[in-house]
Amino acid sequence: MSSPTGNIYDRDPSEDVIQQLKSIATKLRMDSIKCTNAAKSGHPTSCASCADILAVLFWHTMKHNPEDPRNPNNDRFILSKGHAAPILYSVQVELGHVKEEELENLRKIDSDLEGHPTPRLDFVDVATGSLGQGLSCAAGMAYGAKYIDKASLRVFCVMGDGESAEGSVWEAMHFASHYKLNNLIACIDVNRLGQSEPTSIGHDMDTYKRRCEAFGWKTFVVDGHDVRSLVQVFFDARQSEDKPVMILAKTFKGKGLPGIENELEWHGKALGDKADKILQALNETTKGAKPVTLVPERPAKAELEVITPTKVALSDKPEYEIGKLMATRQAYGTALVKLATVYPRIIALDCDVKNSTFSENLKKVYPQRFIECFIAEQNAVGVAIGLGTRHRFIPFLSTFAAFFSRGYDQIRMGAISQANVKFVGSHVGVSIGEDGPSQMALEDIAMFRAIPNCTVFYPSDAVSTERACELAANVEGMCFIRTGRPANPVIYKGDETFEVGKAKVIRQSETDVVTVIGGGVTLHEAIKAAEQLAGKGVNIRVVDLFTIKPLDADTIVKHAKMTKGRVVTVEDHYPEGGLGDAVASVLAQYPDIVMKKLAVKQLPRSGPPQALVDMYEIGAKSIVAAVEGDWANTIGQK
Amino acid sequence: MSSPTGNIYDRDPSEDVIQQLKSIATKLRMDSIKCTNAAKSGHPTSCASCADILAVLFWHTMKHNPEDPRNPNNDRFILSKGHAAPILYSVQVELGHVKEEELENLRKIDSDLEGHPTPRLDFVDVATGSLGQGLSCAAGMAYGAKYIDKASLRVFCVMGDGESAEGSVWEAMHFASHYKLNNLIACIDVNRLGQSEPTSIGHDMDTYKRRCEAFGWKTFVVDGHDVRSLVQVFFDARQSEDKPVMILAKTFKGKGLPGIENELEWHGKALGDKADKILQALNETTKGAKPVTLVPERPAKAELEVITPTKVALSDKPEYEIGKLMATRQAYGTALVKLATVYPRIIALDCDVKNSTFSENLKKVYPQRFIECFIAEQNAVGVAIGLGTRHRFIPFLSTFAAFFSRGYDQIRMGAISQANVKFVGSHVGVSIGEDGPSQMALEDIAMFRAIPNCTVFYPSDAVSTERACELAANVEGMCFIRTGRPANPVIYKGDETFEVGKAKVIRQSETDVVTVIGGGVTLHEAIKAAEQLAGKGVNIRVVDLFTIKPLDADTIVKHAKMTKGRVVTVEDHYPEGGLGDAVASVLAQYPDIVMKKLAVKQLPRSGPPQALVDMYEIGAKSIVAAVEGDWANTIGQK
């Protein structure tokens, strides 16, 4: 093979190269049809529209080693339109990385070729399938590669047109141009048809172009089925010097599938008994074509090494006087710097509240390792997920905990991506005070508990917060650390050891009649209650869970039994899905243990923090009442 | 007062009118400074930047009766930058609707003048404070006014520049131009400064303009402190014939506050001891000004009546043969049409999955009452919240339940807005099958349970689904209805009655040894398990909760006690925050009742629905094992 310039990977390769790319695209369409037909479900028409794009990207534009898809020097690829998974799998078959017969197992329970791509597959970095998320992850990878790893790799992201209605896409567009991510190349497969009707913009390529340009991207419109044009435009895209690049590819859904191309009713359907005839027709088009000998160009340079996770420890142990008032959010800022000092791959991200979450501490010391994501939480989560891929970075993303609800779909998908992001949410509960309910996280524990494999830390003082951060940096997977706004007394000595899933008994005597379990502000209220009750000759045990997930069921049950089978939980959170529900879920398995749950039972309002804590019955007075009150009656029901 | 055209509300009012507007703006700045100083917190500088805008809007542009803020013919106003609440309160003081002395109570626990606006105040339709949400709500109001109510009112939305980074804003921009909402007028107060640093776009008005125009809006750039220009540009905005209008107002944070204007460090801070001098300086500027006599223009026509909620009933009772296979999502489509037939203010919204959720049934019969929101769930939630204000419409918003996670912050804020939206989430749990985890809602119950005042329905057959929809239409507030993908047998007769918070015992005998509680697919698995166990001479009770919130604690406890204190919960949901946690939260209060929870304990994968139900141990086999297995041991711990 040769090209006018002598290099097959150049802007104007020979006709032979173009013919081979066309043959590959046809093969990808055929593979996609066959495997979705075998599965009796899937999205073959969404595959057909991007077949030419993927052929050009994987065999001509991208520099990668298909035998070693996790090689850190490879260009990256994200299929944001995850429902086109079959064509990505077909690409891997044609590249020789996945066995052809495995395609027959698409969507089967024992195959990793799932309905939408997940990192169970070594050629997938992030899971997709909830639309509009891929670009943020790609932007995170591109940011890390350009600014921190200082590598020359490119990140490619193929999106659907329907998903460009998602606001998260425009958050990512803004982020990428703001940070001049010229190593990020996205392509929208504008096939005009959504699931249930045509997209709102259809084939109006000008509108797409104006929007992308207005958001600061170098933008090309191209016929997404013209292989030579695609080769050229992607070649040009690689030359961008300070802007991310958007390729708007005008395509047809079901392209090349006679009777199906450009028809509405074929979203998410296998072709069934129409398949044979269509496969025949596709096969016809490759007749006489030379066999494919084209292979992808390998990365020019081996710039990056594989990162192996290593243990990360605080540079200095926590140093606080017992009883000193210190907000856990402030201890987070301290811990972040201590960890970053030891491990250069600790990165902090924030959403324009860094002076409230204290992530600005890191920015002050290591400005290159802080990423301001502005007020765009969805994208921030996606960027963090992207940064965390392949162990390249350990991203700590902070904002007000309430605003993680903005990125909950991204967090949900992060679990499927096996993401390694540490979420740090401050300003939780009514104890934030006057700003009122819009700023109060009261459902954050419920949110993060329901994420599989997510570790939920709820440290209650500065020492345990620093240790929570240290443990989180070492946990493989997603973590949530709940920090608070008010300053509360330090409880632990600096050398206290903490473990994931291990609670601490912070106050006990042999005559304790109830175990009280709190977290953050309410743990301090429990301590106050214990002191008040002790004055009346009633002793209670106080437990600090430290981690809410995994939960230390053994400690809870053991101490519940030692305190007459009585437990009170108290939390600055709504009653559903939080600390109380976590404990109830354990205690419901045991007879002879009864539990009362104190939580914020109404929509709260603005007011002074302590007044709100008392008003919503999660303060010392309410704990005392729960311990003293009708307990005799409850136990009496036995 | 007179103007060149003789009408003070015209485009070119007299200098006297302009002077009065300026005096009002100064007064608003002073009020905002005073009340935040009294509260010792708040955002006076964010108020100062939009003082001129609000003066012009409330006293010149908007047609409204300030004595009757809920009058349906008033123009609507949303302060999307909710942290500028003090200036909105100041407006109401200067309009004479709120007493001046009430401003002193800003942010106090017994005042409705909270840190951010909520509809506890009669001049607030939707709560704001989580940024980037107001425009979607405004678009919902504008859509309803234009297309359904066919009223001439306008909807105004004042936004911050920082919040324009939120993707939800661009979803709303796209929605509004797609639907030609020329009755929607937004204004971005471009004051250049965020909380922790300058915004990413700063005062680059051209970039804002290009973006807004590319998104299809008629766009004006204006000096946001030039009152005459503001009067003119808002006047022109009202004349738009087919496009929504964006006013980009270049402003300065802290405008008019000497020493503070345009300085970064003053976000979210009361002025403290600087206040007196600044108030003096502001007061100086009004010296010699004539007293304000200007009052807002009233709405020209009384087109709309106040809507009083009325009882809504299905047009026909559910008609299904017992045992017939029918997906609950399909029954939703049927119910929607039955309700809409009876009550013309039932509206359905969907996010391009209407052929999967069955909301398309409504579109087929009443196309004017269906709103396609495309793949932009955040905006869809906001639009629905806007539609539901003032009881004008009862919006039912459907999508895959997993994708409500995309709008969780909007849903959270919906509770604070006292929104009246009915969320209907289909495709829940592993029982959706081959599409895989990205499409499976497994945290949706946790999400919606944690929303205060949200009713959570989990109907398990077609009859109860229709009744859930009917009840939801009559509940004042937010509801979630969890529907499923697979077809399951009809359980109930058409005349069965259902109530919110009342469970159904669907199988019982005098010798039952365990109560099994399921929902949706798992209720049918419980019935299968009961049949299998009965074959072995073991009887179990089967309970259908119907609503998970409020929970029918009495029925659960009563039957648990009648079945040897043994309960098994089984759910197609993660173990945290779902049906099992809801039940555990009740049972943990009782000794002598023990509970086992079956739930999806791992991140699932693609596969056939029944195979996944079995694999993740929520099927009949696992229920049988839970009933038969180690129960003796557990009880033995007593």
Side-chain angles (χ1 to χ4, degrees):
Chain A
M1 283 179 302
S2 70
S3 77
T5 62
N7 182 337
I8 51 173
Y9 303 110
D10 267 1
R11 190 177 192 279
D12 284 301
S14 67
E15 191 54 30
D16 175 41
V17 169
I18 299 298
Q19 284 305 322
Q20 289 199 42
L21 291 169
K22 286 183 182 172
S23 293
I24 292 166
T26 301
K27 197 71 178 32
L28 297 179
R29 288 190 172 92
M30 293 173 69
D31 290 345
S32 305
I33 292 168
K34 284 184 209 161
C35 66
T36 50
N37 241 37
K40 298 194 177 67
S41 67
H43 301 74
T45 59
S46 303
C47 294
S49 64
C50 62
D52 305 295
I53 296 164
L54 264 64
V56 170
L57 280 177
F58 277 90
W59 275 266
H60 197 269
T61 308
M62 285 165 51
K63 315 305 170 204
H64 65 116
N65 181 350
E67 289 155 30
D68 181 15
R70 293 266 162 120
N71 185 317
N73 298 292
N74 286 348
D75 285 341
R76 307 288 195 269
F77 178 82
I78 295 181
L79 184 68
S80 188
K81 49 175 285 186
H83 53 287
I87 198 159
L88 181 62
Y89 306 156
S90 302
V91 163
Q92 296 296 329
V93 166
E94 298 304 325
L95 287 172
H97 184 64
V98 167
K99 288 187 186 144
E100 184 161 8
E101 52 270 31
E102 182 60 18
L103 271 188
E104 292 287 309
N105 296 325
L106 176 73
R107 294 175 159 241
K108 292 200 178 138
I109 202 162
D110 48 3
S111 170
D112 287 340
L113 300 184
E114 297 193 65
H116 295 76
T118 85
R120 285 175 176 141
L121 298 160
D122 62 6
F123 54 88
V124 174
D125 281 302
V126 296
T128 51
S130 181
L131 291 168
Q133 301 194 12
L135 192 62
S136 296
C137 301
M141 292 177 177
Y143 188 103
K146 176 167 179 168
Y147 291 108
I148 316 181
D149 272 341
K150 299 186 192 308
S152 53
L153 67 86
R154 297 289 192 286
V155 183
F156 292 82
C157 179
V158 169
M159 300 152 69
D161 49 350
E163 69 176 316
S164 75
E166 290 282 13
S168 51
V169 168
W170 301 95
E171 294 182 7
M173 296 284 286
H174 177 57
F175 177 90
S177 65
H178 180 77
Y179 287 113
K180 302 184 193 305
L181 300 179
N182 63 315
N183 58 341
L184 174 61
I185 299 167
C187 173
I188 304 185
D189 171 15
V190 186
N191 69 20
R192 193 185 67 85
L193 296 175
Q195 171 177 324
S196 71
E197 64 175 79
T199 64
S200 52
I201 301 178
H203 266 154
D204 177 358
M205 305 306 287
D206 281 347
T207 290
Y208 281 111
K209 185 158 189 278
R210 273 196 304 276
R211 292 187 184 184
C212 294
E213 286 179 343
F215 271 74
W217 286 51
K218 193 173 173 70
T219 305
F220 300 91
V221 175
V222 65
D223 176 345
H225 302 305
D226 179 338
V227 167
R228 186 172 287 281
S229 297
L230 286 168
V231 162
Q232 291 171 346
V233 83
F234 279 118
F235 186 91
D236 293 344
R238 293 191 75 106
Q239 319 309 317
S240 177
E241 289 189 356
D242 64 347
K243 284 183 177 183
V245 183
M246 176 59 76
I247 312 295
L248 296 168
K250 182 177 174 180
T251 61
F252 294 94
K253 201 158 176 172
K255 173 71 185 180
L257 283 42
I260 283 169
E261 179 178 320
N262 205 24
E263 294 292 330
L264 181 61
E265 294 300 321
W266 281 98
H267 180 92
K269 288 178 190 162
L271 303 192
D273 52 20
K274 291 194 189 294
D276 281 349
K277 232 176 170 170
I278 289 168
L279 286 170
Q280 253 176 20
L282 284 167
N283 203 37
E284 282 298 318
T285 67
T286 62
K287 274 212 175 134
K290 288 195 204 152
V292 171
T293 55
L294 195 61
V295 292
E297 189 175 15
R298 300 303 192 261
K301 290 175 276 185
E303 298 165 320
L304 302 180
E305 299 289 322
V306 170
I307 304 288
T308 313
T310 50
K311 192 161 159 50
V312 180
L314 294 171
S315 58
D316 304 291
K317 72 170 189 167
E319 290 273 19
Y320 301 93
E321 208 176 304
I322 298 276
K324 181 187 162 77
L325 294 178
M326 173 69 62
T328 52
R329 59 181 170 133
Q330 191 167 354
Y332 164 62
T334 304
L336 196 55
V337 172
K338 288 184 181 179
L339 291 167
T341 297
V342 168
Y343 189 61
R345 293 185 173 276
I346 300 271
I347 308 290
L349 304 91
D350 202 289
C351 305
D352 193 22
V353 288
K354 56 185 175 292
N355 49 352
S356 293
T357 61
F358 284 89
S359 66
E360 70 174 2
N361 289 17
L362 187 95
K363 186 181 180 188
K364 287 174 185 165
V365 186
Y366 305 110
Q368 293 82 357
R369 286 196 263 147
F370 178 85
I371 307 176
E372 177 55 70
C373 296
F374 302 99
I375 308 174
E377 295 80 6
Q378 295 190 84
N379 179 63
V381 175
V383 166
I385 291 171
L387 281 164
T389 54
R390 306 189 188 202
H391 301 296
R392 297 218 69 79
F393 306 104
I394 303 178
F396 279 75
L397 168 60
S398 52
T399 185
F400 287 13
F403 303 142
F404 281 128
S405 61
R406 198 61 158 263
Y408 194 39
D409 195 18
Q410 279 79 4
I411 293 167
R412 181 182 77 84
M413 289 299 295
I416 307 174
S417 288
Q418 303 171 27
N420 192 30
V421 178
K422 318 306 166 186
F423 301 96
V424 182
S426 70
H427 289 69
V428 301
V430 300
S431 55
I432 72 158
E434 288 82 357
D435 275 342
S438 65
Q439 318 294 302
M440 296 169 175
L442 287 156
E443 58 297 292
D444 56 314
I445 301 177
M447 269 176 55
F448 281 101
R449 273 184 72 224
I451 297 294
N453 308 322
C454 181
T455 304
V456 178
F457 294 93
Y458 191 4
S460 297
D461 83 339
V463 172
S464 52
T465 300
E466 287 199 32
R467 293 301 182 192
C469 296
E470 182 181 46
L471 288 164
N474 291 286
V475 167
E476 178 81 30
M478 299 206 299
C479 299
F480 172 57
I481 303 174
R482 187 180 216 231
T483 67
R485 181 170 183 272
N488 285 122
V490 170
I491 303 170
Y492 298 105
K493 290 188 188 159
D495 54 7
E496 182 82 26
T497 57
F498 290 86
E499 289 174 66
V500 171
K502 291 286 177 200
K504 296 277 180 190
V505 180
I506 60 170
R507 183 181 174 114
Q508 61 182 317
S509 77
E510 286 188 5
T511 57
D512 295 338
V513 293
V514 173
T515 294
V516 177
I517 303 175
V521 161
T522 61
L523 187 73
H524 296 278
E525 294 294 320
I527 295 168
K528 279 190 232 169
E531 282 158 9
Q532 290 172 22
L533 285 161
K536 304 183 196 180
V538 177
N539 289 324
I540 62 171
R541 195 154 296 187
V542 179
V543 171
D544 171 9
L545 292 176
F546 181 60
T547 44
I548 297 188
K549 184 181 175 182
L551 192 67
D552 188 351
D554 290 347
T555 297
I556 294 167
V557 171
K558 175 180 155 196
H559 291 279
K561 287 184 177 171
M562 289 168 73
T563 55
K564 301 183 182 288
R566 295 171 185 162
V567 173
V568 172
T569 63
V570 52
E571 62 195 304
D572 197 357
H573 187 277
Y574 288 133
E576 297 88 2
L579 183 158
D581 268 14
V583 172
S585 171
V586 169
L587 297 185
Q589 299 169 47
Y590 294 87
D592 292 347
I593 303 177
V594 293
M595 174 187 140
K596 291 183 190 175
K597 178 164 65 177
L598 303 179
V600 179
K601 294 194 173 111
Q602 305 163 54
L603 189 68
R605 58 190 305 131
S606 291
Q610 187 66 50
L612 293 174
V613 163
D614 293 338
M615 182 173 178
Y616 295 106
E617 300 180 353
I618 56 170
K621 191 178 161 193
S622 303
I623 298 168
V624 168
V627 169
E628 287 186 330
D630 62 336
W631 210 293
N633 299 337
T634 313
I635 298 289
Q637 289 182 359
K638 279 213 273 192
Chain B
M1 283 178 303
S2 70
S3 78
T5 62
N7 183 338
I8 51 174
Y9 304 110
D10 266 2
R11 190 176 191 278
D12 285 300
S14 66
E15 191 53 29
D16 174 43
V17 169
I18 299 298
Q19 284 306 325
Q20 290 200 40
L21 291 169
K22 286 182 182 174
S23 294
I24 292 166
T26 302
K27 198 70 180 29
L28 297 179
R29 287 189 171 95
M30 293 174 68
D31 289 346
S32 304
I33 291 169
K34 285 184 211 163
C35 65
T36 49
N37 242 37
K40 296 194 178 66
S41 67
H43 301 74
T45 59
S46 304
C47 294
S49 64
C50 61
D52 306 295
I53 296 164
L54 263 64
V56 170
L57 281 177
F58 277 89
W59 275 266
H60 197 268
T61 309
M62 286 166 51
K63 315 306 168 205
H64 65 117
N65 181 351
E67 289 154 33
D68 181 16
R70 294 265 160 119
N71 185 317
N73 298 292
N74 286 347
D75 285 343
R76 307 289 195 265
F77 178 82
I78 295 181
L79 184 68
S80 188
K81 49 176 285 185
H83 53 287
I87 198 160
L88 181 61
Y89 306 156
S90 302
V91 163
Q92 296 296 327
V93 166
E94 298 303 324
L95 287 171
H97 184 64
V98 168
K99 286 186 190 147
E100 184 161 9
E101 52 270 31
E102 182 60 19
L103 271 188
E104 292 287 309
N105 296 325
L106 176 73
R107 293 176 159 240
K108 293 203 177 133
I109 202 161
D110 48 2
S111 171
D112 286 341
L113 301 184
E114 297 193 65
H116 295 78
T118 84
R120 285 176 177 140
L121 297 161
D122 62 5
F123 54 88
V124 174
D125 282 302
V126 297
T128 50
S130 181
L131 291 167
Q133 301 194 13
L135 192 62
S136 296
C137 300
M141 290 176 179
Y143 189 103
K146 176 167 179 168
Y147 291 108
I148 316 180
D149 271 340
K150 301 189 193 304
S152 53
L153 67 87
R154 297 288 193 286
V155 183
F156 292 82
C157 180
V158 169
M159 302 153 68
D161 50 351
E163 69 176 316
S164 76
E166 290 282 13
S168 51
V169 169
W170 300 96
E171 294 181 7
M173 296 283 289
H174 178 56
F175 177 91
S177 66
H178 181 75
Y179 287 113
K180 304 186 193 304
L181 300 179
N182 63 315
N183 58 341
L184 175 60
I185 299 168
C187 173
I188 304 185
D189 171 14
V190 185
N191 68 21
R192 194 185 69 81
L193 297 175
Q195 171 178 326
S196 71
E197 66 175 76
T199 65
S200 53
I201 301 178
H203 266 154
D204 177 359
M205 306 305 288
D206 281 348
T207 291
Y208 281 112
K209 185 160 191 276
R210 274 197 303 275
R211 291 186 185 183
C212 294
E213 285 178 345
F215 272 74
W217 285 50
K218 190 172 176 70
T219 304
F220 299 91
V221 175
V222 65
D223 175 345
H225 302 305
D226 179 338
V227 167
R228 186 172 288 280
S229 296
L230 286 167
V231 163
Q232 291 171 347
V233 84
F234 280 118
F235 186 92
D236 292 345
R238 292 192 76 106
Q239 319 308 318
S240 177
E241 289 190 355
D242 64 348
K243 284 183 177 183
V245 183
M246 176 61 75
I247 311 295
L248 297 168
K250 182 176 174 181
T251 60
F252 293 94
K253 201 159 175 173
K255 173 70 183 179
L257 283 42
I260 283 169
E261 179 178 322
N262 205 25
E263 294 293 328
L264 181 60
E265 295 299 321
W266 282 98
H267 180 92
K269 287 179 189 160
L271 303 192
D273 50 20
K274 288 192 189 297
D276 280 348
K277 233 175 169 170
I278 289 168
L279 286 170
Q280 251 175 20
L282 285 167
N283 202 37
E284 283 298 317
T285 67
T286 61
K287 275 215 173 134
K290 287 193 207 159
V292 172
T293 54
L294 195 62
V295 292
E297 189 176 16
R298 301 301 192 264
K301 290 176 273 183
E303 297 166 321
L304 302 180
E305 298 290 322
V306 169
I307 304 288
T308 312
T310 49
K311 191 161 159 51
V312 180
L314 294 170
S315 58
D316 304 291
K317 72 170 188 165
E319 288 274 18
Y320 302 93
E321 208 176 303
I322 299 275
K324 180 186 164 77
L325 294 179
M326 173 68 61
T328 50
R329 60 181 170 133
Q330 191 165 355
Y332 165 62
T334 304
L336 196 55
V337 172
K338 288 184 182 179
L339 291 168
T341 298
V342 168
Y343 189 59
R345 293 185 172 274
I346 299 269
I347 309 291
L349 303 91
D350 202 289
C351 305
D352 193 22
V353 289
K354 56 186 174 289
N355 50 350
S356 292
T357 60
F358 285 90
S359 66
E360 71 175 1
N361 289 17
L362 186 95
K363 185 181 181 187
K364 286 174 184 164
V365 185
Y366 305 109
Q368 293 83 355
R369 284 196 265 148
F370 178 86
I371 307 176
E372 178 55 71
C373 295
F374 302 100
I375 308 175
E377 295 80 6
Q378 295 191 82
N379 179 63
V381 174
V383 166
I385 291 171
L387 282 163
T389 54
R390 305 190 188 200
H391 301 296
R392 297 218 70 79
F393 306 104
I394 303 178
F396 280 74
L397 168 59
S398 52
T399 185
F400 286 14
F403 303 142
F404 280 128
S405 62
R406 198 61 156 264
Y408 194 39
D409 194 18
Q410 280 77 4
I411 293 167
R412 180 181 77 84
M413 289 298 296
I416 307 174
S417 287
Q418 303 172 27
N420 192 30
V421 178
K422 318 305 167 185
F423 300 97
V424 183
S426 70
H427 289 68
V428 302
V430 301
S431 55
I432 72 158
E434 289 82 356
D435 275 340
S438 65
Q439 318 294 302
M440 296 168 174
L442 287 157
E443 60 297 291
D444 56 314
I445 300 177
M447 267 175 56
F448 282 101
R449 272 185 72 224
I451 297 294
N453 308 323
C454 181
T455 304
V456 179
F457 294 94
Y458 191 3
S460 297
D461 82 338
V463 172
S464 52
T465 301
E466 288 199 32
R467 293 301 182 190
C469 295
E470 183 182 44
L471 288 165
N474 291 286
V475 167
E476 177 82 30
M478 301 207 298
C479 298
F480 172 58
I481 303 173
R482 189 181 214 230
T483 67
R485 182 171 183 271
N488 286 121
V490 170
I491 303 170
Y492 298 105
K493 291 188 186 157
D495 54 6
E496 182 83 25
T497 57
F498 290 86
E499 287 173 66
V500 172
K502 291 286 175 197
K504 296 277 179 189
V505 179
I506 60 170
R507 183 180 174 116
Q508 62 183 316
S509 78
E510 286 186 7
T511 57
D512 295 338
V513 294
V514 173
T515 293
V516 177
I517 302 173
V521 162
T522 61
L523 187 74
H524 296 278
E525 294 294 321
I527 295 168
K528 280 191 228 166
E531 282 159 9
Q532 290 171 22
L533 285 161
K536 304 182 196 181
V538 176
N539 289 323
I540 63 172
R541 196 153 295 186
V542 179
V543 171
D544 171 9
L545 294 176
F546 181 59
T547 44
I548 297 187
K549 185 182 174 180
L551 192 68
D552 188 350
D554 291 348
T555 296
I556 294 167
V557 171
K558 175 180 156 196
H559 291 279
K561 287 184 176 172
M562 289 167 74
T563 56
K564 299 183 184 286
R566 295 171 186 163
V567 172
V568 172
T569 62
V570 53
E571 60 195 306
D572 197 357
H573 187 277
Y574 288 133
E576 297 88 2
L579 183 158
D581 268 14
V583 172
S585 171
V586 168
L587 297 185
Q589 299 170 47
Y590 293 87
D592 292 349
I593 302 177
V594 294
M595 174 188 140
K596 292 183 189 176
K597 179 165 64 177
L598 303 178
V600 179
K601 294 194 173 109
Q602 304 163 55
L603 189 67
R605 57 190 307 132
S606 291
Q610 187 66 50
L612 293 174
V613 164
D614 294 338
M615 181 173 180
Y616 294 105
E617 300 181 351
I618 57 168
K621 191 176 161 194
S622 303
I623 298 168
V624 167
V627 169
E628 286 186 329
D630 61 338
W631 210 292
N633 298 338
T634 312
I635 297 289
Q637 290 181 358
K638 280 214 271 194

